[in-house]
Amino acid sequence: MAKTGSVKKRQETGTRRAPAQGPALPKALPQVAAAGLVFVAAGTVLMLEILAVRLLAPYVGLTLETTTSIIGAALAGIALGAAIGGYLADRTNTRRLVVGLFILGGVLTLLTVPAVRWLGPSASGEGSLAALGITVVALVPAAVALSAVSPAVAHIQLHDLRASGTVVGRLSAWATAGALVGTFGTGFVIVPLLPASTAVLTVGLTLIAVGIAIGTALGMLTPAITAGMLVLAVGFGALTASAGSPCDRETKYHCAIVEAVPGLPGDYQLILDGGSNSLVNLNDPTDLEYRYTNWIADSVDAEFPGNRPLNGVFVGGGGFSLPRWLEATRPGSHSLGLEVDGDLVSLDEEKLGLRTSPDLEVDVGDARITMLEVPSSSADVVVGDAFSGYSIPWHLTTAEWLDEVRRVLKPNGIYALNIIDNDPLELLEAEARTMLDGFRDVRMITEVGGGGRPIKGNAVLLGTDNPMSASVGSSFSNAVVFKRQEVEAFAGTAAALRDDYAPADQLVTVRR
């Protein structure tokens, strides 16, 4: 009897307690609308990721670690947003959630530029950790809000478990399509056309407008709330616009600034991504301001005495100081500049007095590709000067690249490579080993510290397949010339750089 009573009691209890019920499922959106929402949200995240690289470059440089930090932080924001969006979708009015996520995502996007401009100067020169920190503050919040849209929309659309795979798969496909369009559209269209800050401003305002439009269409926003949202958009948009840009020009590859040098009339400095790239004397192209440019010029004059015309290939244009020097000191010479950044060439023409001609030509494109078009055995001198601050064109440091340089050089030609590194000089050691393996005679020009070891900053490596003249080198700024045996000792056990293993970004040490 006790057992029967117990069963009866449990049955009675069950009739009094109804199972817990979640929020009622919202009416599904039209498929086109659902696809459009996830398409826009996912595409925007990838747009912001690419634009963040451009925004951060003037402060922390453009290195593999910087790009990796930005990609990693963006992925963390996507993962966190997906988790938060799914959690909230089960516990709130999902349609209101989607509206709020778009508006919040737009506001946080508008705050990206002010955050970078505010934090950037204090992080200048601090490398990958600084890039990661700024990205977490500036990019991750917007990525979280926008990445929460997809699970929220999926929650709205899921009304039949028998079709759950189709619904989730379709939305995932549209989100991926949005990410692809955002990636290619930003890289190939938006960055060449708009400054990064203007692009971010446009994206942020568009997201807020989408949120307001959805809310209005669903009858969730009163005129007063809509007016408030518009005021919010204008306010944050003005904050983004007023943050300004540290660049005179945002090119495809650089934040470029041209500044007059105080106390030196006619001297202008070209700054790329926060690092000094070139000093140009508009009144006297023979006046080479930097130590390393003087070292290269002195070496060329020593190897080719007199003032006979030379053919030179200059990998990396910058301010085109050395091509202009060659043109001025050896009339009739021909210089070919290989510069990846066409907008930078235009800036040089507008502000630094660059005048291209049959004697000074510029080929725009990646030097690893454009070098293939340079005739074999055509150059007396090839100058490698593509380093800029923290940016390391690793594919222009390898043994395979040196094979191409040797192809272009005449039998008595010389290759001069500018390297920027700091203690412990691992990149300089690796590149010295690569040059030693590639040329029969190698020299290094640099300044030295205690124990005769090169000090931080610039060093010039010289390579040729013929014995160099004993006078090749320079004493400018107390430079010391290392002969081949001394370069061997300096390189030590460093491994040569090759296309399949050239960790230049990891070897270089950024000046603190």
Side-chain angles (χ1 to χ4, degrees):
M1 294 296 294
K3 183 176 180 180
T4 302
S6 177
V7 171
K8 183 178 180 180
K9 183 177 181 181
R10 285 198 298 268
Q11 292 173 340
E12 291 173 351
T13 302
T15 60
R16 291 196 299 267
R17 296 180 60 188
Q21 298 290 328
L25 287 174
K27 182 180 177 181
L29 298 170
Q31 289 188 12
V32 173
L37 292 176
V38 298
F39 182 94
V40 170
T44 301
V45 174
L46 270 295
M47 293 174 67
L48 292 176
E49 181 179 335
I50 295 175
L51 292 171
V53 176
R54 307 308 305 277
L55 291 171
L56 286 172
Y59 308 107
V60 296
L62 187 59
T63 67
L64 178 62
E65 285 92 343
T66 301
T67 306
T68 301
S69 297
I70 293 171
I71 293 172
L75 288 173
I78 292 171
L80 187 58
I84 292 175
Y87 178 86
L88 294 177
D90 289 339
R91 293 162 174 80
T92 62
N93 182 314
T94 321
R95 293 190 171 207
R96 291 186 183 276
L97 175 63
V98 171
V99 172
L101 288 173
F102 268 96
I103 294 174
L104 177 62
V107 170
L108 293 173
T109 296
L110 293 176
L111 290 175
T112 299
V113 174
V116 172
R117 302 283 192 251
W118 176 52
L119 296 172
S122 62
S124 181
E126 295 302 321
S128 56
L129 287 178
L132 180 59
I134 297 176
T135 306
V136 168
V137 173
L139 175 61
V140 169
V144 170
L146 294 169
S147 299
V149 170
S150 287
V153 172
H155 182 274
I156 295 175
Q157 300 302 98
L158 282 172
H159 287 269
D160 186 351
L161 290 179
R162 292 171 298 179
S164 60
T166 301
V167 170
V168 173
R170 182 171 56 241
L171 292 176
S172 178
W174 277 108
T176 303
L180 288 171
V181 172
T183 299
F184 289 114
T186 304
F188 288 103
V189 180
I190 293 177
V191 169
L193 290 179
L194 296 174
S197 54
T198 303
V200 172
L201 174 64
T202 303
V203 170
L205 292 176
T206 300
L207 289 172
I208 294 175
V210 169
I212 292 175
I214 299 169
T216 302
L218 296 176
M220 295 181 177
L221 298 180
T222 64
I225 295 177
T226 301
M229 292 294 101
L230 292 174
V231 171
L232 183 72
V234 171
F236 281 101
L239 180 63
T240 301
S242 65
S245 170
C247 317
D248 285 341
R249 182 169 301 176
E250 291 183 22
T251 72
K252 283 185 180 181
Y253 299 93
H254 300 291
C255 167
I257 301 171
V258 175
E259 293 180 342
V261 179
L264 296 174
D267 279 23
Y268 289 83
Q269 182 179 37
L270 173 65
I271 300 172
L272 299 181
D273 297 331
S276 181
N277 178 273
S278 302
L279 279 174
V280 177
N281 186 331
L282 298 184
N283 300 323
D284 183 8
T286 67
D287 180 18
L288 298 174
E289 304 284 354
Y290 284 153
R291 294 171 297 172
Y292 83 90
T293 52
N294 280 279
W295 298 343
I296 293 174
D298 289 348
S299 299
V300 170
D301 282 341
E303 185 69 4
F304 303 99
N307 61 354
R308 71 177 179 87
L310 299 175
N311 287 332
V313 175
F314 297 86
V315 182
F320 290 87
S321 301
L322 283 168
R324 288 193 265 197
W325 164 82
L326 185 64
E327 184 180 44
T329 59
R330 295 173 181 260
S333 295
H334 177 264
S335 296
L336 173 63
L338 306 182
E339 171 56 53
V340 72
D341 194 342
D343 291 333
L344 179 60
V345 176
S346 298
L347 182 65
D348 287 334
E349 292 174 332
E350 293 172 16
K351 295 195 173 185
L352 292 177
L354 175 66
R355 296 292 180 265
T356 58
S357 68
D359 290 335
L360 201 171
E361 297 181 289
V362 178
D363 195 349
V364 175
D366 191 302
R368 191 66 186 263
I369 305 302
T370 55
M371 190 72 152
L372 298 174
E373 301 175 4
V374 181
S376 299
S377 302
S378 62
D380 298 291
V381 180
V382 174
V383 176
D385 191 15
F387 281 43
S388 178
Y390 315 121
S391 299
I392 309 297
W394 67 268
H395 61 311
L396 303 182
T397 67
T398 64
E400 290 82 357
W401 165 251
L402 291 188
D403 289 341
E404 194 62 23
V405 171
R406 292 176 69 245
R407 179 190 66 80
V408 168
L409 284 172
K410 295 179 179 179
N412 64 337
I414 188 171
Y415 179 46
L417 174 63
N418 172 44
I419 293 285
I420 304 173
D421 198 9
N422 296 283
D423 290 330
L425 301 173
E426 291 179 326
L427 177 61
L428 181 56
E429 290 175 347
E431 188 57 32
R433 173 56 59 196
T434 309
M435 291 278 284
L436 288 164
D437 291 350
F439 291 99
R440 294 176 184 172
D441 194 8
V442 175
R443 295 188 189 178
M444 179 169 66
I445 308 174
T446 185
E447 295 181 2
V448 299
R453 183 169 171 79
I455 61 175
K456 63 185 181 180
N458 294 85
V460 170
L461 291 166
L462 304 170
T464 181
D465 279 339
N466 287 328
M468 277 183 249
S469 167
S471 59
V472 167
S474 177
S475 59
F476 183 85
S477 188
N478 300 316
V480 173
V481 180
F482 288 58
K483 301 293 179 65
R484 181 180 177 101
Q485 187 174 359
E486 295 165 319
V487 178
E488 287 270 12
F490 168 74
T493 59
L497 303 175
R498 303 191 64 85
D499 281 354
D500 64 348
Y501 184 72
D505 292 286
Q506 289 73 34
L507 293 173
V508 71
T509 301
V510 176
R511 182 185 291 116
R512 301 300 183 187

